[in-house]
Every structure is written in C-alpha cells, then in structure tokens.
Amino acid sequence: MREYLNFYLNGKWEEPTGSRTWDVINPATEAVAGRIAMGEIEDVNRAVAAARRAFPSWSRTTREERLALLGRIIEVYQTRFNDMCAAISEEMGAPLWAAEKVQAAAPLGQLNIAMEVLKNYKFEELRGSTMIQREPIGVCGLISPWNFPVILMMAKVAPAIATGCTMVLKPSEYSPFSAQILAEILDKAEVPPGVFNMVNGDGVTVGAALSSHPDIDMISFTGSTRAGVDVAVKAASTVKRVHQELGGKSPNIILDDADFEKAVAAGMQGVMFNSGQTCLAPTRMLVPQSRMAEVTNIVWRVAANFNPGKPTENTFMGPVVNERQWTRIQELIGKGIEEGATLVIGGTGKPAGLEQGYYVKPTVFANVTNDMTIAREEIFGPVLAILGYDNVEDAIRIANDTSYGLSAYVQGGNMDRVREVGGRIRAGQVTLNASALDIDLTAPFGGYKQSGNGREWGEIGFEAFLEMKALIGYEPAAASLQPSRSGND
Ligand code: NAD
C-alpha cells in the first residue's frame, strides 16, 4: 500500500493545504493500492509562485547546464527503471512486459531526444539587421492522462527543462504512482528548486486552477477533448498559450493490394495494445466492401493472440484503467450491437475467468457504417470497428469524415498509391505500411480538428515551449546595407 501524501514544491516534499485524499485502485484486482493527497487552489498557487521565482535564473542557464541536468535525470531514471515499471503496471494495469518495453522505456528515448535537440538548436538567427531570438516561454502548467502516464508526462517535462522553462505538473489522479517516482528522480538528479513542481489532484480543482492561473504562461494538456476544451475556455481570459493533445478515432485504410493477413492482424494489434487505451489507435479499419467476409475470417484466426490476462502474467493486454472506463466501454459495445453492426468477436461482460478486475473482451465489429456511434465516438477500449468502402475515393471520404484528426494508417502494395492516399488524409500523423506500435519519437505528434492544437515530440515539440522575439536594428551595419524593409531578406 503506497501513501503519497505530500506535494513536490520548490525542491521539497511539502504537506498539502487541505485534507482530501484519493484511493488509487489497482485495476487488475479492484483493491486499493495506495492513497494520495488531493490538491486545492492554494497548493497550485504555492507551486506557481515557486516556478515563477525560479524562472529568471533557470531561463538564463546555458545549454551546457541544461544538458548536464538532462544527463543526470537519465542516469537516475535508469536506477529507478524497475520501480517505474511496477508503478505503471499497478496503477493502470499495463502488463509488465509492456511497462518494460514501452511505457517506462520510451521516456529514456524522449530524454535523449531532448538532449540531441538542445545540443544543436539555433536559438538565434540574424535576418538582415533583425535578430530573431527564441526564448523559454515561462511558467508552464502540465496536465497529463493515465494511459501512457510517463511517456505523456515526459513529452512535456523533458522539452520544458531543455528549453529553460519552469513548470507545475498535475498528473492524472489515476496514475500518481509513476508521477511520484518521476518527481523523486528529478529531485535526486538535483533539478534546481522551483524548476519542477508537482501537485496531485483532480481536473475540476487543480486542473482548472492551473488553466486559469494568471502567472502561468502556457498550458500543455493531454487528455480527452472534453477536458481539453474546458482547459482552453478557462485559459482564454489570461491569453496564455494552450497546447492540446486530445482524442482520436483514427482510420486505417487497407487498400485492395495490401497483404490482408498482415494488415488486419497489425491493425487489430494496434487497437488491442494497452487494452485499447491509446489515443492513436487505428480504431476504424476501412476495407473493400467486397472483402468484408475475408477480413472477418482473419479476425477469427488471430483473435486468440489478444486474450486479456493478469498484468503479472505474460499476456498481451491487461484490464482497462477503472470501473468508469469499463462501464463506458460496455455501453458502447451495447450500442454497436443495438445499431446493427455485426459482432465478430467479444461483446459485453467480463472474459471467462477474469471476473475480478476491469477486464474487457477484445471486441471486433464488422459491417460498421460511419454514422454509427462506435464509428464516431472514441471508445478508449479494445474495440475495433470494421467499415466497408466502395473505392479509394470512398475510403478517403470515410477516413476524413470524423471530428478527430490525430492519426491515420494506410496499408497497400503500390507505394505510390499508399503515399497519395496518406497525403489526402486530414490527420497529424499518417503511418504508411506500418502499425500503431511503430512510433517515431522524433516526428511531430498532434492533431488536426478536435484532436488538438500544436505538436509534441522531437524538435517541433521542443519549440512548443519557446517564445519568439524579434530584435529590430540588432545589427546596425547590416541595416545600413539594406535600404528598405522589403521583406525579401
Ligand atoms: P481526461 O481528459 O479525463 O484527463 C486528463 C487529465 O486532465 C487528467 O490529469 C485529469 O485530471 C485532467 N482534467 C480532467 N478534467 C479537467 C478539466 N476540466 N480541467 C483541467 N484538467 C482536467 O482524460 P483521460 O481519461 O485521463 O485520458 C484519456 C484521453 O486522453 C483520451 O481521450 C485520449 O485520446 C487522450 N489522449 C490523447 C493523447 C494525445 O497525445 N493526443 C495521448 C494520450 C491520451
């Protein structure tokens, strides 16, 4: 039983202002696994004040100082790697192998990428007589979800540190164990006091207080579109930068010349991985209408690969995160049946032998039409919808007929056609002839439409934490060589 009852403020573990606590449930057992303190507005004020005080000195540190700190964080992270895996698995139900190979491993890659970008980044550029400078945006409020808890915190914390920003992190109340370990790592790595602060709590109190805080310059939010909209509304009156990484309902177009056996199995794997709780999951599989029966047969053949099981056992997927999520998934599976989609595998109820824990049957629907609820709403569970298309134009039309635009996938034999189709999809990331598990952590990641604003990861994600300044007349000699401001330089 873990007890994390203090917040990390100004380089120390401090007692919270209020007395509310929150029980963290292990989704595999439904037992209480730990308890955290829930923050109040005053805790946010304390954290923001610490970050504000630390900003003038931290923002003026050299590239080398920040690189040294990132290097120390990597070293300490490696010593806590096993603790991190255990915490992630316990709080959100990821199988241990997935915690080790993906959930806890990718953050090391993110830290290395932040270092690489920082090493080579041009913070200044002289254009004629004008100097364009990029500087840290200021105090950042970071709000993250539970589904890939450390990856999604690190997507913000690493570039914020690398650019010279200071920050207040509010992790999800459903995944506070890994956040606690992350804060302990940063503490051990001697992040200067006030640069990184962490307040646990819920969205309506801590999340809202961060969003509306006048002393925060930027909010970087990852979570549902519903909460992301709320953050933007609350942030509007202080005109802070709002970065949103939100939900998805990603299409996966399988063209008629694709290797169907491979493409269907990989598409299923992309949906079932992490028990379907992946924002970029290819949840709408688009196949030629005439080949729906063939696709259904492949689903039957590979279904056993995705059987859920206990996170401690060597299973492909564990439970979903909590009872609320489990109930919502059940309702949406019920909707799929009610609205007339063909249930190929799975369905409502718990899988046999897994009555304890929030386990969901891997579920696949065929003959789904794009107006059905299961084709429109993000389910965030192991549920795949297979839709038929008449021709390539029809496939592209269906793919784009969604309010989301986070990711998309195209599979096919003719690479020219695959590229052309990929280019016509309105989504922030389009993966060609590969699966949702083939991630490029250096490529910009983020959404079109209601999937968000801005991009994370790699150099573009680093730039999200920078403000831009133009110093006009910086180089007077150059100015004298340029008679007019023609804008051609
Ligand atoms: P959520 O929106 O419920 O919560 C995310 C975070 O926001 C949590 O820390 C929560 O406490 C906080 N929050 C909730 N309401 C808030 C409010 N009104 N104001 C401020 N903060 C608030 O999402 P979740 O259930 O934790 O995560 C699942 C969602 O996240 C899915 O929709 C998924 O697609 C999305 N997601 C997106 C990405 C991406 O990069 N685009 C990545 C992972 C998950």
Side-chain angles (χ1 to χ4, degrees):
M1 172 90 172
R2 300 170 192 247
E3 286 228 312
Y4 298 139
L5 300 176
N6 292 334
F7 299 146
Y8 191 70
L9 306 174
N10 203 29
K12 294 199 187 77
W13 291 100
E14 299 279 5
E15 284 189 11
T17 311
S19 56
R20 287 190 302 141
T21 59
W22 168 270
D23 285 342
V24 182
I25 310 287
N26 179 335
T29 61
E30 299 181 42
V32 176
R35 200 158 62 104
I36 57 165
M38 294 295 264
E40 304 295 343
I41 294 172
E42 188 45 36
D43 297 307
V44 173
N45 291 339
R46 290 158 75 195
V48 174
R52 183 52 63 199
R53 277 196 306 276
F55 183 68
S57 58
W58 180 246
S59 60
R60 299 181 80 83
T61 47
T62 62
R63 198 189 294 263
E64 288 68 32
E65 286 170 303
R66 300 207 289 273
L67 282 170
L69 175 59
L70 289 164
R72 290 201 301 276
I73 295 171
I74 291 175
E75 276 171 30
V76 183
Y77 190 107
Q78 281 162 336
T79 66
R80 300 292 307 271
F81 186 80
N82 291 341
D83 297 343
M84 194 59 109
C85 295
I88 295 169
S89 183
E90 202 177 323
E91 67 195 1
M92 55 72 67
L96 271 174
W97 71 265
E100 281 165 18
K101 291 213 157 46
V102 183
Q103 294 263 13
L108 280 166
Q110 292 170 302
L111 283 161
N112 276 308
I113 290 165
M115 287 185 73
E116 266 322 291
V117 175
L118 175 58
K119 256 182 221 158
N120 304 309
Y121 195 74
K122 268 177 77 179
F123 286 95
E124 291 191 339
E125 189 190 345
L126 194 62
R127 288 194 199 165
S129 64
T130 298
M131 176 65 89
I132 314 283
Q133 282 182 343
R134 288 176 175 83
E135 46 186 38
I137 188 164
V139 175
C140 302
L142 314 177
I143 303 178
S144 59
W146 45 262
N147 59 326
F148 289 92
V150 190
I151 295 175
L152 298 172
M153 289 188 286
M154 199 58 92
K156 305 178 189 307
V157 170
I161 289 179
T163 49
C165 291
T166 61
M167 68 211 80
V168 179
L169 169 69
K170 190 208 92 61
S172 169
E173 57 274 42
Y174 293 101
S175 56
F177 297 167
S178 55
Q180 172 80 20
I181 293 171
L182 177 64
E184 289 172 8
I185 290 169
L186 297 175
D187 180 65
K188 186 88 194 284
E190 297 181 349
V191 174
V195 170
F196 170 85
N197 305 274
M198 186 176 83
V199 178
N200 277 319
D202 54 27
V204 288
T205 314
V206 177
L210 287 170
S211 309
S212 59
H213 207 291
D215 260 346
I216 288 188
D217 302 290
M218 168 181 174
I219 288 279
S220 176
F221 175 86
T222 302
S224 61
T225 296
R226 170 200 61 78
V229 169
D230 201 29
V231 166
V233 168
K234 293 215 166 57
S237 59
T238 49
V239 200
K240 53 174 64 76
R241 183 182 297 174
V242 180
H243 187 111
Q244 298 155 302
E245 294 283 345
L246 310 176
K249 192 77 199 175
S250 303
N252 179 12
I253 300 181
I254 303 187
L255 295 168
D256 56 5
D257 60 346
D259 176 343
F260 270 50
E261 219 40 71
K262 195 171 149 208
V264 173
M268 273 181 81
Q269 187 188 49
V271 173
M272 304 306 168
F273 179 67
N274 212 34
S275 307
Q277 305 164 120
T278 310
C279 53
L280 48 71
T283 49
R284 285 185 302 143
M285 184 183 283
L286 275 56
V287 304
Q289 187 65 53
S290 58
R291 298 181 67 177
M292 187 65 79
E294 181 189 342
V295 169
T296 305
N297 281 332
I298 299 173
V299 169
W300 274 319
R301 272 206 301 281
V302 298
N305 297 345
F306 306 108
N307 283 342
K310 296 199 169 83
T312 45
E313 290 164 9
N314 194 23
T315 57
F316 182 72
M317 65 183 210
V320 299
V321 70
N322 57 35
E323 188 175 6
R324 194 185 60 174
Q325 192 70 16
W326 187 89
T327 307
R328 183 178 147 73
I329 296 165
Q330 300 302 309
E331 282 166 10
L332 285 162
I333 294 174
K335 268 258 180 244
I337 296 167
E338 193 186 305
E339 292 180 5
T342 309
L343 186 63
V344 183
I345 57 163
T348 52
K350 295 210 173 155
L354 291 169
E355 287 74 19
Q356 187 88 17
Y358 308 123
Y359 293 94
V360 176
K361 293 179 192 163
T363 297
V364 177
F365 285 103
N367 298 310
V368 176
T369 54
N370 210 36
D371 56 349
M372 290 182 185
T373 310
I374 54 167
R376 304 217 74 83
E377 285 191 25
E378 184 185 49
I379 300 174
F380 230 53
V383 183
L384 168 65
I386 306 178
L387 298 86
Y389 63 80
D390 295 334
N391 51 45
V392 176
E393 284 306 312
D394 194 36
I396 295 169
R397 181 191 62 75
I398 298 170
N400 285 328
D401 178 14
T402 169
S403 56
Y404 293 110
L406 189 59
S407 298
Y409 303 80
V410 185
Q411 327 288 334
N414 178 342
M415 210 45 219
D416 285 340
R417 192 163 66 139
V418 169
R419 289 192 192 103
E420 204 244 315
V421 171
R424 289 178 60 193
I425 299 180
R426 307 260 310 151
Q429 233 177 47
V430 184
T431 300
L432 310 177
N433 278 339
S435 91
L437 272 65
D438 295 303
I439 299 288
D440 177 357
L441 284 173
T442 63
F445 179 68
Y448 281 34
K449 300 192 259 180
Q450 291 181 25
S451 287
N453 266 311
R455 297 289 180 270
E456 287 192 321
W457 305 1
E459 184 169 313
I460 306 284
F462 179 96
E463 287 181 331
F465 288 86
L466 296 174
E467 242 325 346
M468 197 180 288
K469 178 184 284 169
L471 291 158
I472 316 278
Y474 187 90
E475 200 60 75
S480 66
L481 298 174
Q482 306 219 343
S484 68
R485 294 186 184 182
S486 63
N488 292 334
D489 37 313

